[in-house]
Amino acid sequence: MNVAVSRARYEMIIFSTLRSDQIDLKRTKAKGVEGLKKFLEFAERDASAVSMTQIHHHQQSDLIALIAKELALRGYTVDTMVGRSNFKVDLAILDPIQPNKYILGILCDGKNYHETKTTRDREIVHPNVLQDA
């Protein structure tokens, strides 16, 4: 299941003879069993009707603005949504000594994260871009 979830780009269709209500969490303490039950509950509810990206977009914008404001109050110069491609760094802190350079990039688990097509891009490529900058 881990491979299916991490490799799915657009959708995942679940076929199972096991229903979530058939899993009794009182009989086990295993985190994997609990995760499977929750995953099956999610799939049974047909949660695809609500896009997670839509839910997180508004929260993400508020979060980025809040973090940028707090950093600015502490004396940092902050740019938001930095980048020339579809991949943007949510928050970037400018170097006070060399204002044309960034000293820190911050990625949040919001719109950019959820719109990234593959887990590899989210978890490996994006952080590597920041490290190499």
Side-chain angles (χ1 to χ4, degrees):
M1 186 170 80
N2 184 36
V3 172
V5 171
S6 64
R7 299 295 188 264
R9 290 184 180 214
Y10 302 106
E11 73 177 338
M12 188 167 64
I13 300 171
I14 310 302
F15 297 92
S16 176
T17 57
L18 181 65
R19 295 185 321 271
S20 64
D21 62 359
Q22 293 174 303
I23 299 174
D24 183 4
L25 294 179
K26 294 176 188 167
R27 297 180 63 189
T28 181
K29 300 278 188 229
K31 293 288 184 192
V33 174
E34 180 183 352
L36 177 60
K37 180 178 177 80
K38 288 181 179 181
F39 178 77
L40 290 173
E41 286 172 348
F42 176 81
E44 290 164 0
R45 283 193 312 263
D46 189 29
S48 63
V50 178
S51 168
M52 291 305 288
T53 301
Q54 292 171 340
I55 292 169
H56 290 293
H57 178 63
H58 181 66
Q59 294 170 340
Q60 177 67 12
S61 298
D62 292 345
L63 176 64
I64 290 172
L66 178 65
I67 294 171
K69 179 181 173 185
E70 288 298 319
L71 288 168
L73 287 173
R74 287 165 173 74
Y76 294 100
T77 304
V78 182
D79 287 339
T80 60
M81 305 310 290
V82 175
R84 294 190 180 124
S85 67
N86 287 338
F87 167 58
K88 305 277 191 252
V89 175
D90 297 310
L91 296 143
I93 313 300
L94 286 159
D95 185 336
I97 297 167
Q98 298 177 19
N100 61 334
K101 293 179 84 177
Y102 292 106
I103 58 171
L104 178 69
I106 301 172
L107 299 176
C108 300
D109 289 354
K111 182 178 184 247
N112 288 336
Y113 182 86
H114 292 288
E115 287 182 351
T116 303
K117 293 187 189 280
T118 67
T119 300
R120 182 181 183 281
D121 287 345
R122 281 191 298 266
E123 305 299 332
I124 297 171
V125 175
H126 291 177
N128 283 346
V129 167
L130 290 178
Q131 272 185 321
D132 293 340

